Amino acid sequence: MLDPATGERVGFAPLQSVADLEAAITAAQAAQPGWAALGHAARSEALLRAADAVEANAEELARILSREQGKPLNGPNARFEVGACAAWLRATAATVLEPETVVDADGTRAVLHYRPIGVVGAIGPWNWPMMITVWQIAPALRMGNTAVVKPSGMTPLSVLALVKVINQELPEGVLHVVPGRRDVGAALAEHPAIGKVMFTGSTATGKSIIRSSADTVKRLTLELGGNDAGIVLPDADPKAIAEGLFWGAFINTGQTCAALKRLYVHEDIYEDVCAALTEYAANVPMGVGLDEENVLGPLQNRSQYEIVAGLVEDAKDAGARVLLGGNPDENQPGYFYPTTLVADIDNDNPLVAQEQFGPALPIIKYTDVDHAVAMANALEVGLGASVWGTDPDQAHAVAARLEAGSVWINNHGAVNPMAPFGGAKQSGYGLEFGTEGLKHLGQPQVIHG
Ligand code: NAD
């Protein structure tokens, strides 16, 4: 694996095959009844110990993550991501899912329980590789399932290192990781011994997984791509929201599923918002992740770099106004694309209509809030969205009209381990986090009587 900031070798990851996957699934199947029999309290304790182990190894994990993924140590990046792993392990351990009495009248009684599903497959992306692995495996383990993880081929070392630490606190055979190519992911998605797949990645791959899971009627949680809109209402204070808008869009250098990817600003304050955002963005340091001063990093891989660069070039050709960036240094060793803000851009420009997944934010002017809502809702995806303004009633009224699984007011993308998270439309289905998240890792069973 090569460091996307420098091109230097980070290390070698084993490349495993479908035969290795078979062995992992067999071992996970064998371990599952014993793990389930431990009960909720013992499994929660194991997750709490795993959180402590992650914390004890936090700096080493953050450095591996920074070098392989590219994200800086500081800012909402590598150290933050490792911290989130510990936080989500703890929150998942603390969440309780009690059996629910759904009928209790006239001598009839029915109680809804959640049983283990069996072996859960976890397939993840390269943008937040450690945190998303924890999002997938923590509720799976908590509910008495064992798990087999297939990390992204771009970031296997990060996931291998994380799983090694977590495994210090789990019984043998409960948690496996199989670094492999797409064929290993596809084999996991169609394997008859896998009861559920937790998938986070692109919408296109999500659709492949739906197809390959069909023959075994597998349960799926799909956290797919997004192209989140933010709507700035005319009563917003441009200077006050600039920092929040910036991090909503540029967290992890824009490589975040629920990041602000299209910003709609009312014409009355359009120039002021553009100016405030440009002023804030111009001063945020980007560079090699291990340098303590940086809080923005490179794109993780060349193909993502090319997507971002191509979209910005097309926007320029179409006459959009570049407020900042848009001029990458082609002679540098890493995949650095500068922080880029693009104004006066049409809503149907590809930089708006497609998921850029990088540090280039289009800012679209609107006149009428109804039209902004229509533009925000016009795409096939709906992961997150945000509304920015000073009148809470108005902001909530607009939020209610947005077709997205999460809508933030005066913020974008702040996830919470107790608030369910999932997509609308083609951003996926199923929920993660909190009690709802646990329910999605259990097989519902109603006992009558
Ligand atoms: P990707 O879809 O290319 O790959 C994700 C994973 O799927 C990888 O591990 C890959 O090896 C595996 N895979 C590829 N083809 C497969 C197949 N046919 N069957 C089974 N597995 C297969 O996604 P990516 O490029 O790694 O991640 C970026 C995308 O993920 C973006 O679209 C982003 O929005 C999305 N994402 C969504 C969320 C969310 O919570 N909704 C979070 C992070 C990223």
Side-chain angles (χ1 to χ4, degrees):
M1 308 312 298
L2 304 180
D3 183 335
T6 61
E8 285 167 14
R9 189 173 306 288
V10 180
F12 291 93
L15 190 60
Q16 294 194 310
S17 64
V18 173
D20 297 312
L21 177 73
E22 285 291 344
I25 293 174
T26 303
Q29 266 185 304
Q32 194 272 326
W35 176 243
L38 282 180
H40 279 292
R43 290 196 300 269
S44 289
E45 278 164 24
L47 293 186
L48 292 174
R49 289 197 308 273
D52 292 344
V54 167
E55 263 172 9
N57 292 277
E59 190 59 18
E60 193 189 341
L61 290 172
R63 285 179 172 276
I64 293 170
L65 177 61
S66 177
R67 292 180 65 209
E68 181 180 54
Q69 204 284 335
K71 61 181 68 188
L73 289 172
N74 287 323
N77 293 298
R79 288 177 177 138
F80 169 85
E81 180 168 350
V82 174
C85 291
W88 255 266
L89 283 164
R90 291 206 175 100
T92 310
T95 305
V96 175
L97 178 57
E98 300 283 8
E100 187 187 344
T101 303
V102 288
V103 179
D104 191 6
D106 306 327
T108 307
R109 196 172 145 81
V111 180
L112 170 61
H113 300 262
Y114 289 88
R115 310 298 186 198
I117 297 170
V119 184
V120 170
I123 304 176
W126 47 259
N127 58 341
W128 292 87
M130 291 186 178
M131 183 176 78
I132 288 173
T133 297
V134 167
W135 288 1
Q136 296 178 330
I137 64 171
L141 299 175
R142 173 76 169 75
M143 292 303 289
N145 308 288
T146 52
V148 178
V149 179
K150 207 301 278 175
S152 165
M154 306 286 184
T155 50
L157 296 174
S158 300
V159 177
L160 284 162
L162 174 77
V163 169
K164 191 173 172 197
V165 168
I166 292 176
N167 263 338
Q168 292 169 8
E169 305 300 335
L170 297 178
E172 179 89 24
V174 166
L175 175 62
H176 302 261
V177 56
V178 184
R181 295 212 170 90
R182 277 159 188 253
D183 59 322
V184 174
L188 189 65
E190 64 188 25
H191 200 288
I194 295 289
K196 162 129 196 174
V197 172
M198 300 289 288
F199 173 73
T200 300
S202 63
T203 298
T205 307
K207 290 178 183 176
S208 300
I209 288 178
I210 294 170
R211 287 185 201 102
S212 39
S213 67
D215 281 346
T216 49
V217 195
K218 251 182 237 338
R219 278 72 185 128
L220 299 176
T221 291
L222 301 175
E223 296 287 359
L224 308 179
N227 193 346
D228 292 9
I231 298 180
V232 180
L233 298 175
D235 69 347
D237 175 349
K239 281 204 161 62
I241 62 174
E243 182 176 2
L245 287 175
F246 178 82
W247 285 111
F250 290 91
I251 182 169
N252 199 24
T253 316
Q255 303 162 104
T256 297
C257 51
L260 177 47
K261 291 168 183 156
R262 312 175 270 154
L263 183 61
Y264 296 92
V265 182
H266 191 270
E267 60 183 356
D268 288 356
I269 55 169
Y270 187 78
E271 289 306 331
D272 289 347
V273 170
C274 286
L277 198 48
T278 306
E279 190 185 338
Y280 187 88
N283 294 312
V284 182
M286 177 186 284
V288 174
L290 293 185
D291 292 347
E292 298 278 345
E293 70 271 21
N294 294 323
V295 291
L296 296 170
L299 275 309
Q300 201 278 329
N301 53 72
R302 169 150 295 279
S303 78
Q304 198 58 48
Y305 176 93
E306 281 167 2
I307 289 170
V308 175
L311 287 171
V312 175
E313 280 311 304
D314 288 353
K316 283 200 244 176
D317 291 349
R321 175 165 56 115
V322 176
L323 301 172
L324 183 71
N327 54 345
D329 173 1
E330 300 291 350
N331 297 319
Q332 49 168 0
Y335 304 132
F336 289 101
Y337 195 87
T339 304
T340 298
L341 296 170
V342 181
D344 299 343
I345 183 166
D346 290 340
N347 191 48
D348 57 2
N349 188 284
L351 180 60
V352 182
Q354 295 172 22
E355 186 187 30
Q356 69 276 52
F357 217 60
L361 179 68
I363 310 171
I364 306 103
K365 192 187 292 178
Y366 75 86
T367 307
D368 173 53
V369 175
D370 289 344
H371 186 219
V373 170
M375 288 190 285
N377 288 341
L379 301 184
E380 288 170 338
V381 286
L383 188 58
S386 56
V387 184
W388 305 73
T390 46
D391 176 355
D393 291 342
Q394 248 186 349
H396 277 89
V398 174
R401 297 168 64 195
L402 294 175
E403 295 167 1
S406 301
V407 185
W408 290 274
I409 291 170
N410 292 321
N411 181 284
H412 196 114
V415 288
N416 182 300
M418 297 317 294
F421 178 71
K425 302 195 279 187
Q426 293 192 25
S427 288
Y429 46 72
L431 288 170
E432 296 184 286
F433 313 162
T435 317
E436 289 302 320
L438 291 187
K439 286 182 181 173
H440 283 73
L441 270 310
Q443 171 57 50
Q445 180 191 51
V446 179
I447 296 198
H448 300 261

